[in-house]
Amino acid sequence: GCGLALRQSKKIFGKNLITYGVDPVNWFDQIKKKKDLLASHQHQLGKDIFDEEYNYQWIRAFMQDVNLPERADVISAIYSMPYSMDPLSALMNLYNQLSTEDGIMVGNLAPEMLFLKSVSMQKTNQKMISKLVKQMQKAGVDIQMTDTGIFVIRRHNDSHLKLNLIRSDRKSA
């Protein structure tokens, strides 16, 4: 979107808060042309929500590739990580850029879990994500999951996540 959560955070916590929005597309430039949508957001969040003082630094990049200008104290990736071309690489990349002094990352890997009508699909997604979380915990990552699929990760040290390559010995036909 147009960085509403980033803008709200800056409005609440003040001008000293540094915020970055990561996306290959600057959606705010697209949305600026839609006056009715802007007016709706302003009605809900205040007429000044799009003022320059609440702006964020946009970084044109994919989540799995981005290099943030500095280590982040908090990373929010709610409803954005699943749109990444490689959500696991994005998770790893962003985790590795968290502050090593209790950096926090909040996000989800499958927002459709909240809206899936098929109970069996919900359970399948939950099982896969549950396995991932258990493996991360086994590797020493402080990660917790909510029953709605939101994860919270705390980084306490300078250890890095890496994706392991799994080789299949099956021969192609």
Side-chain angles (χ1 to χ4, degrees), residues 114-128:
L114 304 173
F115 307 108
L116 284 175
K117 293 181 181 174
S118 164
V119 173
S120 65
M121 286 183 77
Q122 285 179 356
K123 287 182 180 180
T124 300
N125 277 347
Q126 287 172 336
K127 283 180 185 176
M128 289 188 315

Side-chain angles (χ1 to χ4, degrees), residues 57-79:
Q57 182 179 337
W58 172 58
I59 301 172
R60 179 184 296 236
F62 291 101
M63 295 170 73
Q64 66 270 13
D65 301 321
V66 69
N67 289 311
L68 298 175
E70 59 190 301
R71 289 199 179 260
D73 293 324
V74 177
I75 294 177
S76 171
I78 297 176
Y79 292 115

Side-chain angles (χ1 to χ4, degrees), residues 163-169:
L163 291 177
N164 292 328
L165 298 177
I166 300 172
R167 193 182 99 224
S168 171
D169 288 331

Side-chain angles (χ1 to χ4, degrees), residues 53-137:
E53 68 183 295
Y54 305 128
N55 205 0
Y56 56 93
Q57 182 179 337
W58 172 58
I59 301 172
R60 179 184 296 236
F62 291 101
M63 295 170 73
Q64 66 270 13
D65 301 321
V66 69
N67 289 311
L68 298 175
E70 59 190 301
R71 289 199 179 260
D73 293 324
V74 177
I75 294 177
S76 171
I78 297 176
Y79 292 115
S80 58
M81 186 120 9
Y83 297 104
S84 170
M85 295 169 69
D86 186 348
L88 292 179
S89 290
L91 176 68
M92 178 196 68
N93 182 40
L94 294 174
Y95 173 87
N96 290 338
Q97 295 185 68
L98 275 174
S99 168
T100 58
E101 297 178 16
D102 293 327
I104 298 172
M105 183 173 177
V106 180
N108 59 340
L109 292 169
E112 71 276 4
M113 282 177 49
L114 304 173
F115 307 108
L116 284 175
K117 293 181 181 174
S118 164
V119 173
S120 65
M121 286 183 77
Q122 285 179 356
K123 287 182 180 180
T124 300
N125 277 347
Q126 287 172 336
K127 283 180 185 176
M128 289 188 315
I129 291 172
S130 178
K131 286 180 183 181
L132 171 66
V133 168
K134 285 179 183 172
Q135 287 299 313
M136 291 177 73
Q137 288 170 334

